[in-house]
Amino acid sequence: MSKLRSVIRHEYLTIVKQPSFWIVMIAIPAIIALIGVLTILGNKGSSDRIQEISKDIKNVAIIDKSGLINTEVVKAADLTLSSPAETDALRTQVREGKKEALIIYPENLSKDRNYKLYLSSDDLTKMGAISSLSDNILKTSLFLPLGSPEVIALAQNGAAADMTFYKDGRESAGFNEYVVPGLFVVLFYIIFAFSIGYMLTSVSEEKENRSMEMVLTYVQPRTLILGKLLAVMLVTLTQVAFFGLLGTLALVIAPHIGMPVSLPFGIDITKLVFDPTSIVLGFAFLFTGFLMYAGFMTATAAIAPSTKEANSFSGVFFIGAFIPFYFIYMIATNPENPIVTFLTYFPLTSPVVSLIRNAVGNFNGAEAWLALAVMFGFMVISIWVAIRAFKLGALEFSQVLKISSLFKK
Amino acid sequence: MTEPIVSVRDFSLTIGSKNIVKKLNFDVLPGEVFAFLGANGSGKTSTIRSLLGIYQATTGTLHVNGAPLTPENAATVGYLPEERGLYTRSKVLDTMIYFGELKGMSRDDARDFSLAFLKRVELEDKAAVKIKKLSGGQQQKIQLGVAIMGDPKLLILDEPTKGLDPVNRKLLLDIVDELQQKGTAVIYITHLMEEVERLANRLLILKDGQARAYGTVGAVKKEFKSESIEDIFVQIYKEKSSEVAHEPADEPSNKEDK
């Protein structure tokens, strides 16, 4: 037990004492926040500039063959309608740069929902401004008969739906029900992105720096592997606690500095649902999936002779974890589909698929527990393979361990 | 008669289709330096790994203090492997304490030993430095420190002086001398025959996984009618491999019998 504790402490401190560990932990949320701010500022800046340019665009010709464009709207934009007979001449002027643009609303506009724009240059900002202008003229002309500005705004922008959901005859929280079990999906990817790789590097570096032989003299391979697994779990908890703290601080501080936090998809923190069954299942899928992947990573590192080769081999596991995203709509809406069933039980995809299905609530009880049992079986196999590969491959410094040797006596 | 600390009987090792070691027998006595010699690929490292329980013997027994060695009872064994290295991203003192704990020492004892050893080998100012910042020779001293932690009764050194300058080589050999004086048995693997001449009480020369010479240094020299271990080594490796395995040339004896 004391050796296990020593291995855990050594592995944990080796990771968290690295400056790179904290640099990555701080840099990732900082970069995400920076990108968010820059995107908002950039989009606002572009939108403002397009609006400004739109106001200054006066040298634009408009031909209306559809009869849908309102002359008053065109006049309000300080523009005039031209005759369809002038089409060729106006197009030539645009080509020669004498006019900035020509907008042609064709006869069958309502049927084809397509109109033509001719521009004197390929300047993206000008293109955005003239597109915005032509779109506004069309929409305002169509909505003008509605009457009041409020009704026109309603027709143009629509209205938000205040939804009420019922489940089993009782009112439910709707999307807010998915949030808490959905956090396990997010957590899995955080673990996957940050921690699973530690198992790979921990074993392959130990092998590469030749410290393995001295270690194995004093520690059983299973104690070493278990110690590494538990240490990586502690590292993961450290990361989750750190990100959780950052998130909480952001939620608390942001409103006080004039940045109200608006969560996506109408998520309301006060209406979150904490369903014990889905939380227990989420935790079980996360824990089992983590150990299964960690087992595969350890085996890969033990089989490969160097960190570089181990990293190459491990690519297949990373692909496996991201495959479910290509099927996410099907997984969420069509759980009876044979592809979803296959992905639910296939070891490399089962953790993510099970977590998504648990989050959206389309796992019936028996199927969820069966998926967990199958995943648990694969987890046991992966750890057995990891320990076996470790025993055989730990001292193979120059060649890849043969897979067949894992199953020999 | 003194009980051997290491007792190897009819030990054979086959890995895949390759017979690495064939019917090997030898003993190592407390307080002696036992030179375990052979060319590259002769089976020395595989024998040591089997003795340590890392490899499983195909047949025969390898006992240390009367029982097979496992991680649970390896605390009194110090091992400096040929394929050696340390945790390059960890600090010197942290690494030494970790290995001390793996050998069953308390953290405090491991720390005290490590600091004393670092002072002895003039590396006390490197305690908080990462291993990767040390030179090759300095890393080798740390590895020796790790090997001799916990007052080992058996010390296995696989080419311990490889890559060391003369000053550090002398320092290492002095430490081996001191341990021997305290009763530690040393299995010494080397290709440097002058080290064997200087240190060893008894020796075994392995060729193709079989013992070709075994006994006290003096007895082996007498048997091969040569005053030089190096000449005997060359003579053995010039022989055809089909010749039979060797029985002890003499009863084990003290260093003075060389």
Side-chain angles (χ1 to χ4, degrees):
Chain A
M1 192 62 193
S2 65
K3 284 186 183 179
L4 178 65
R5 197 169 54 229
S6 299
V7 174
I8 294 169
R9 185 197 292 124
H10 171 79
E11 295 291 335
Y12 177 77
L13 291 178
T14 298
I15 295 169
V16 300
K17 275 186 172 179
Q18 301 302 319
S20 59
F21 174 80
W22 293 101
I23 289 169
V24 170
M25 290 257 284
I26 294 165
I28 285 179
I31 289 170
I32 290 171
L34 187 67
I35 289 172
V37 169
L38 288 177
T39 306
I40 292 167
L41 292 178
N43 287 345
K44 191 173 182 304
S46 300
S47 175
D48 291 348
R49 186 153 175 257
I50 286 169
Q51 292 292 324
E52 282 300 310
I53 290 175
S54 302
K55 286 177 194 166
D56 294 338
I57 290 173
K58 305 290 176 226
N59 194 16
V60 173
I62 303 171
I63 294 171
D64 178 33
K65 297 177 183 175
S66 67
L68 296 172
I69 302 302
N70 188 303
T71 320
E72 294 305 314
V73 174
V74 175
K75 269 186 191 167
D78 281 341
L79 296 169
T80 52
L81 284 175
S82 304
S83 158
E86 295 176 84
T87 302
D88 289 342
L90 289 169
R91 205 161 48 203
T92 305
Q93 284 180 38
V94 171
R95 190 164 54 232
E96 290 171 354
K98 291 173 185 168
K99 278 214 172 285
E100 284 188 272
L102 168 64
I103 306 166
I104 302 176
Y105 298 104
E107 207 169 345
N108 51 354
L109 177 62
S110 55
K111 189 180 167 199
D112 292 350
R113 295 166 65 192
N114 191 304
Y115 61 86
K116 288 188 182 298
L117 274 184
Y118 296 92
L119 301 161
S120 62
S121 77
D122 55 5
D123 181 303
L124 289 176
T125 311
K126 192 175 280 184
M127 183 186 80
I130 291 172
S131 293
S132 170
L133 174 75
S134 58
D135 202 43
N136 276 338
I137 288 173
L138 175 63
K139 282 181 178 170
T140 311
S141 298
L142 294 173
F143 288 128
L144 203 60
L146 292 174
S148 74
E150 289 84 3
V151 177
I152 291 172
L154 180 65
Q156 282 185 317
N157 304 322
D162 189 4
M163 290 182 269
T164 301
F165 299 87
Y166 293 100
K167 189 177 177 185
D168 303 327
R170 296 172 62 187
E171 192 172 322
S172 80
F175 194 84
N176 289 302
E177 274 193 0
Y178 305 158
V179 175
V180 174
L183 283 176
F184 286 101
V185 183
V186 177
L187 210 51
F188 182 84
Y189 278 106
I190 290 175
I191 291 170
F192 200 80
F194 288 95
S195 303
I196 295 281
Y198 287 130
M199 278 309 288
L200 190 82
T201 48
S202 168
V203 174
S204 59
E205 277 184 8
E206 207 162 47
K207 220 177 139 173
E208 204 165 69
N209 66 26
R210 305 291 197 262
S211 50
M212 194 72 94
E213 197 167 351
M214 279 171 86
V215 176
L216 287 178
T217 303
Y218 306 108
V219 189
Q220 293 283 7
R222 64 174 176 273
T223 307
L224 196 58
I225 296 288
L226 189 61
K228 285 174 184 289
L229 281 172
L230 293 172
V232 170
M233 285 178 69
L234 285 179
V235 169
T236 305
L237 288 176
T238 307
Q239 289 170 327
V240 169
F242 180 78
F243 289 130
L245 187 69
L246 277 187
T248 309
L249 280 176
L251 281 174
V252 171
I253 292 172
H256 294 289
I257 55 171
M259 291 177 69
V261 177
S262 132
L263 297 173
F265 310 113
I267 296 170
D268 181 348
I269 290 177
T270 60
K271 290 182 181 169
L272 294 184
V273 176
F274 295 86
D275 172 43
T277 308
S278 64
I279 290 173
V280 167
L281 277 171
F283 185 78
F285 286 132
L286 179 74
F287 185 74
T288 312
F290 164 76
L291 287 178
M292 183 181 70
Y293 265 101
F296 285 137
M297 287 297 182
T298 308
T300 304
I303 286 168
S306 68
T307 306
K308 194 177 166 188
E309 284 177 76
N311 276 325
S312 305
F313 293 153
S314 69
V316 66
F317 301 115
F318 284 94
I319 292 169
F322 285 95
I323 281 176
F325 266 93
Y326 291 98
F327 298 92
I328 193 159
Y329 187 72
M330 190 192 290
I331 293 165
T333 60
N334 190 7
E336 282 83 25
N337 188 299
I339 293 173
V340 177
T341 305
F342 173 77
L343 294 175
T344 303
Y345 295 104
F346 183 66
L348 296 185
T349 52
S350 60
V352 174
V353 174
S354 301
L355 285 166
I356 292 172
R357 292 187 61 187
N358 181 52
V360 299
N362 70 22
F363 241 159
N364 70 51
E367 197 184 4
W369 292 108
L370 178 64
L372 182 61
V374 172
M375 201 191 298
F376 188 84
F378 281 119
M379 179 202 79
V380 171
I381 291 169
S382 87
I383 292 176
W384 179 85
V385 169
I387 292 172
R388 183 91 179 132
F390 191 78
K391 277 181 183 171
L392 296 171
L395 301 177
E396 283 289 352
F397 300 123
S398 58
Q399 56 188 348
V400 177
L401 186 71
K402 286 180 183 168
I403 301 290
S404 59
S405 63
L406 294 176
F407 305 100
K408 285 181 183 167
K409 257 194 158 182
Chain B
M1 187 181 164
T2 314
E3 281 293 308
I5 189 165
V6 173
S7 172
V8 175
R9 293 286 173 270
D10 296 328
F11 162 59
S12 297
L13 179 69
T14 302
I15 296 178
S17 57
K18 198 173 174 189
N19 298 321
I20 311 286
V21 183
K22 299 152 199 165
K23 288 265 181 185
L24 189 62
N25 290 280
F26 69 90
D27 292 325
V28 179
L29 301 175
E32 75 167 346
V33 174
F34 182 81
F36 193 46
L37 310 175
N40 294 331
S42 60
K44 302 186 300 292
T45 300
S46 296
T47 301
I48 296 302
R49 285 178 179 173
S50 302
L51 182 66
L52 293 167
I54 296 172
Y55 287 169
Q56 295 301 308
T58 308
T59 59
T61 56
L62 303 100
H63 287 177
V64 175
N65 281 326
L69 206 65
T70 65
E72 284 72 30
N73 63 7
T76 56
V77 176
Y79 179 37
L80 181 67
E82 182 193 4
E83 290 283 0
R84 52 180 164 257
L86 294 164
Y87 297 101
T88 52
R89 293 191 295 160
S90 298
K91 290 175 182 171
V92 170
L93 188 59
D94 291 344
T95 301
M96 293 188 78
I97 292 173
Y98 175 53
F99 275 103
E101 286 184 303
L102 295 186
K103 292 172 97 170
M105 297 171 80
S106 70
R107 274 186 80 77
D108 288 344
D109 288 349
R111 174 184 294 272
D112 291 346
F113 173 90
S114 302
L115 291 172
F117 178 82
L118 290 173
K119 193 171 181 184
R120 163 90 194 264
V121 298
E122 297 174 349
L123 288 176
E124 65 264 47
D125 57 330
K126 306 288 185 191
V129 172
K130 285 188 178 176
I131 300 278
K132 65 182 173 189
K133 302 274 184 190
L134 302 183
S135 69
Q138 288 172 328
Q139 289 191 24
Q140 206 155 332
K141 284 185 193 174
I142 304 300
Q143 285 157 354
L144 177 69
V146 167
I148 65 171
M149 285 177 106
D151 194 18
K153 299 289 174 255
L154 171 66
L155 182 61
I156 302 167
L157 303 174
D158 197 341
E159 298 193 42
T161 57
K162 191 168 74 177
L164 286 184
D165 61 50
V167 174
N168 285 315
R169 187 165 159 256
K170 182 179 180 310
L171 178 68
L172 184 143
L173 295 177
D174 287 347
I175 290 171
V176 172
D177 267 342
E178 282 172 26
L179 287 165
Q180 194 198 3
Q181 297 302 321
K182 287 200 278 184
T184 300
V186 181
I187 297 179
Y188 198 93
I189 300 167
T190 185
H191 292 300
L192 301 173
M193 296 306 150
E194 69 270 21
E195 287 180 0
V196 178
E197 299 274 9
R198 180 190 152 179
L199 292 168
N201 302 100
R202 296 192 307 126
L203 62 83
L204 186 152
I205 299 178
L206 201 61
K207 184 186 177 188
D208 297 331
Q210 290 181 296
R212 297 299 173 141
Y214 172 51
T216 63
V217 173
V220 169
K221 283 180 176 176
K222 195 173 166 187
E223 186 196 353
F224 282 83
K225 297 181 181 65
S226 172
E227 281 305 304
S228 160
I229 297 295
E230 186 158 344
D231 288 345
I232 294 167
F233 189 92
V234 172
Q235 187 186 329
I236 285 170
Y237 270 85
K238 278 184 177 172
E239 287 172 5
K240 286 184 179 174
S241 298
S242 58
E243 292 188 15
V244 291
H246 205 278
E247 292 300 315
D250 199 356
E251 285 300 305
S253 65
N254 292 327
K255 194 173 180 180
E256 290 72 32
D257 292 338
K258 277 195 296 181

